[in-house]
PDB file of all heavy atoms in Angstrom:
ATOM      1  N   ALA Q 231      -2.848  15.526   7.903  1.00 96.00           N
ATOM      2  CA  ALA Q 231      -4.206  15.470   7.371  1.00 96.00           C
ATOM      3  C   ALA Q 231      -4.226  15.088   5.896  1.00 96.00           C
ATOM      4  O   ALA Q 231      -5.184  14.467   5.427  1.00 96.00           O
ATOM      5  CB  ALA Q 231      -4.899  16.812   7.584  1.00 96.00           C
ATOM      6  N   GLU Q 232      -3.167  15.416   5.169  1.00 96.00           N
ATOM      7  CA  GLU Q 232      -3.093  15.085   3.742  1.00 96.00           C
ATOM      8  C   GLU Q 232      -2.975  13.582   3.511  1.00 96.00           C
ATOM      9  O   GLU Q 232      -3.189  13.105   2.386  1.00 96.00           O
ATOM     10  CB  GLU Q 232      -1.900  15.793   3.103  1.00 96.00           C
ATOM     11  CG  GLU Q 232      -2.014  17.298   3.070  1.00 96.00           C
ATOM     12  CD  GLU Q 232      -3.139  17.757   2.170  1.00 96.00           C
ATOM     13  OE1 GLU Q 232      -3.199  17.294   1.011  1.00 96.00           O
ATOM     14  OE2 GLU Q 232      -3.958  18.574   2.620  1.00 96.00           O
ATOM     15  N   ASP Q 233      -2.649  12.841   4.553  1.00 97.00           N
ATOM     16  CA  ASP Q 233      -2.535  11.385   4.422  1.00 97.00           C
ATOM     17  C   ASP Q 233      -3.873  10.686   4.626  1.00 97.00           C
ATOM     18  O   ASP Q 233      -3.962   9.465   4.447  1.00 97.00           O
ATOM     19  CB  ASP Q 233      -1.524  10.847   5.434  1.00 97.00           C
ATOM     20  CG  ASP Q 233      -0.123  11.366   5.199  1.00 97.00           C
ATOM     21  OD1 ASP Q 233       0.316  11.357   4.034  1.00 97.00           O
ATOM     22  OD2 ASP Q 233       0.537  11.766   6.186  1.00 97.00           O
ATOM     23  N   THR Q 234      -4.900  11.431   5.010  1.00 97.00           N
ATOM     24  CA  THR Q 234      -6.218  10.840   5.194  1.00 97.00           C
ATOM     25  C   THR Q 234      -6.739  10.324   3.855  1.00 97.00           C
ATOM     26  O   THR Q 234      -6.813  11.065   2.878  1.00 97.00           O
ATOM     27  CB  THR Q 234      -7.198  11.880   5.766  1.00 97.00           C
ATOM     28  OG1 THR Q 234      -6.792  12.225   7.093  1.00 97.00           O
ATOM     29  CG2 THR Q 234      -8.615  11.326   5.798  1.00 97.00           C
ATOM     30  N   ALA Q 235      -7.073   9.034   3.821  1.00 98.00           N
ATOM     31  CA  ALA Q 235      -7.519   8.412   2.573  1.00 98.00           C
ATOM     32  C   ALA Q 235      -7.916   6.969   2.839  1.00 98.00           C
ATOM     33  O   ALA Q 235      -7.668   6.426   3.915  1.00 98.00           O
ATOM     34  CB  ALA Q 235      -6.401   8.453   1.534  1.00 98.00           C
ATOM     35  N   MET Q 236      -8.503   6.379   1.821  1.00 98.00           N
ATOM     36  CA  MET Q 236      -8.677   4.934   1.799  1.00 98.00           C
ATOM     37  C   MET Q 236      -7.391   4.352   1.226  1.00 98.00           C
ATOM     38  O   MET Q 236      -6.981   4.720   0.132  1.00 98.00           O
ATOM     39  CB  MET Q 236      -9.861   4.563   0.902  1.00 98.00           C
ATOM     40  CG  MET Q 236     -10.114   3.069   0.782  1.00 98.00           C
ATOM     41  SD  MET Q 236     -10.878   2.380   2.255  1.00 98.00           S
ATOM     42  CE  MET Q 236     -12.539   3.045   2.105  1.00 98.00           C
ATOM     43  N   TYR Q 237      -6.769   3.475   1.967  1.00 98.00           N
ATOM     44  CA  TYR Q 237      -5.529   2.839   1.521  1.00 98.00           C
ATOM     45  C   TYR Q 237      -5.866   1.459   0.965  1.00 98.00           C
ATOM     46  O   TYR Q 237      -6.541   0.664   1.628  1.00 98.00           O
ATOM     47  CB  TYR Q 237      -4.529   2.756   2.654  1.00 98.00           C
ATOM     48  CG  TYR Q 237      -3.865   4.093   2.935  1.00 98.00           C
ATOM     49  CD1 TYR Q 237      -4.578   5.122   3.532  1.00 98.00           C
ATOM     50  CD2 TYR Q 237      -2.542   4.321   2.570  1.00 98.00           C
ATOM     51  CE1 TYR Q 237      -3.992   6.355   3.749  1.00 98.00           C
ATOM     52  CE2 TYR Q 237      -1.943   5.555   2.797  1.00 98.00           C
ATOM     53  CZ  TYR Q 237      -2.683   6.566   3.377  1.00 98.00           C
ATOM     54  OH  TYR Q 237      -2.092   7.789   3.591  1.00 98.00           O
ATOM     55  N   ILE Q 238      -5.371   1.210  -0.218  1.00 98.00           N
ATOM     56  CA  ILE Q 238      -5.763   0.017  -0.955  1.00 98.00           C
ATOM     57  C   ILE Q 238      -4.523  -0.798  -1.305  1.00 98.00           C
ATOM     58  O   ILE Q 238      -3.583  -0.283  -1.921  1.00 98.00           O
ATOM     59  CB  ILE Q 238      -6.500   0.395  -2.247  1.00 98.00           C
ATOM     60  CG1 ILE Q 238      -7.652   1.356  -1.909  1.00 98.00           C
ATOM     61  CG2 ILE Q 238      -7.024  -0.851  -2.968  1.00 98.00           C
ATOM     62  CD1 ILE Q 238      -8.067   2.237  -3.042  1.00 98.00           C
ATOM     63  N   CYS Q 239      -4.537  -2.040  -0.897  1.00 98.00           N
ATOM     64  CA  CYS Q 239      -3.430  -2.948  -1.207  1.00 98.00           C
ATOM     65  C   CYS Q 239      -3.545  -3.404  -2.654  1.00 98.00           C
ATOM     66  O   CYS Q 239      -4.651  -3.557  -3.192  1.00 98.00           O
ATOM     67  CB  CYS Q 239      -3.501  -4.149  -0.267  1.00 98.00           C
ATOM     68  SG  CYS Q 239      -2.240  -5.397  -0.541  1.00 98.00           S
ATOM     69  N   ALA Q 240      -2.413  -3.629  -3.279  1.00 98.00           N
ATOM     70  CA  ALA Q 240      -2.419  -4.046  -4.673  1.00 98.00           C
ATOM     71  C   ALA Q 240      -1.235  -4.960  -4.949  1.00 98.00           C
ATOM     72  O   ALA Q 240      -0.200  -4.877  -4.285  1.00 98.00           O
ATOM     73  CB  ALA Q 240      -2.372  -2.842  -5.599  1.00 98.00           C
ATOM     74  N   ALA Q 241      -1.412  -5.807  -5.944  1.00 97.00           N
ATOM     75  CA  ALA Q 241      -0.340  -6.673  -6.426  1.00 97.00           C
ATOM     76  C   ALA Q 241      -0.307  -6.578  -7.941  1.00 97.00           C
ATOM     77  O   ALA Q 241      -1.337  -6.357  -8.580  1.00 97.00           O
ATOM     78  CB  ALA Q 241      -0.575  -8.105  -5.991  1.00 97.00           C
ATOM     79  N   GLY Q 242       0.860  -6.739  -8.492  1.00 97.00           N
ATOM     80  CA  GLY Q 242       0.943  -6.653  -9.951  1.00 97.00           C
ATOM     81  C   GLY Q 242       2.368  -6.557 -10.427  1.00 97.00           C
ATOM     82  O   GLY Q 242       3.286  -7.095  -9.800  1.00 97.00           O
ATOM     83  N   TRP Q 243       2.547  -5.874 -11.545  1.00 96.00           N
ATOM     84  CA  TRP Q 243       3.842  -5.772 -12.206  1.00 96.00           C
ATOM     85  C   TRP Q 243       4.448  -4.394 -11.985  1.00 96.00           C
ATOM     86  O   TRP Q 243       3.907  -3.391 -12.430  1.00 96.00           O
ATOM     87  CB  TRP Q 243       3.691  -6.027 -13.705  1.00 96.00           C
ATOM     88  CG  TRP Q 243       3.171  -7.399 -14.012  1.00 96.00           C
ATOM     89  CD1 TRP Q 243       1.897  -7.760 -14.324  1.00 96.00           C
ATOM     90  CD2 TRP Q 243       3.943  -8.614 -13.999  1.00 96.00           C
ATOM     91  NE1 TRP Q 243       1.813  -9.113 -14.529  1.00 96.00           N
ATOM     92  CE2 TRP Q 243       3.052  -9.664 -14.341  1.00 96.00           C
ATOM     93  CE3 TRP Q 243       5.288  -8.924 -13.758  1.00 96.00           C
ATOM     94  CZ2 TRP Q 243       3.474 -10.994 -14.420  1.00 96.00           C
ATOM     95  CZ3 TRP Q 243       5.705 -10.234 -13.850  1.00 96.00           C
ATOM     96  CH2 TRP Q 243       4.795 -11.251 -14.178  1.00 96.00           C
ATOM     97  N   CYS Q 244       5.553  -4.378 -11.278  1.00 95.00           N
ATOM     98  CA  CYS Q 244       6.283  -3.135 -11.092  1.00 95.00           C
ATOM     99  C   CYS Q 244       7.186  -2.882 -12.285  1.00 95.00           C
ATOM    100  O   CYS Q 244       7.755  -3.820 -12.860  1.00 95.00           O
ATOM    101  CB  CYS Q 244       7.152  -3.203  -9.821  1.00 95.00           C
ATOM    102  SG  CYS Q 244       6.323  -2.669  -8.333  1.00 95.00           S
ATOM    103  N   THR Q 245       7.327  -1.627 -12.635  1.00 92.00           N
ATOM    104  CA  THR Q 245       8.275  -1.204 -13.652  1.00 92.00           C
ATOM    105  C   THR Q 245       9.254  -0.243 -13.000  1.00 92.00           C
ATOM    106  O   THR Q 245       9.236  -0.080 -11.775  1.00 92.00           O
ATOM    107  CB  THR Q 245       7.543  -0.482 -14.805  1.00 92.00           C
ATOM    108  OG1 THR Q 245       6.985   0.738 -14.272  1.00 92.00           O
ATOM    109  CG2 THR Q 245       6.434  -1.345 -15.388  1.00 92.00           C
ATOM    110  N   ALA Q 246      10.040   0.411 -13.807  1.00 89.00           N
ATOM    111  CA  ALA Q 246      10.979   1.383 -13.244  1.00 89.00           C
ATOM    112  C   ALA Q 246      10.242   2.505 -12.524  1.00 89.00           C
ATOM    113  O   ALA Q 246      10.796   3.159 -11.631  1.00 89.00           O
ATOM    114  CB  ALA Q 246      11.853   1.955 -14.358  1.00 89.00           C
TER     115      ALA Q 246
END
Side-chain angles (χ1 to χ4, degrees):
E232 294 294 310
D233 297 314
T234 293
M236 179 75 72
Y237 284 72
I238 307 155
C239 178
W243 299 100
C244 271
T245 66

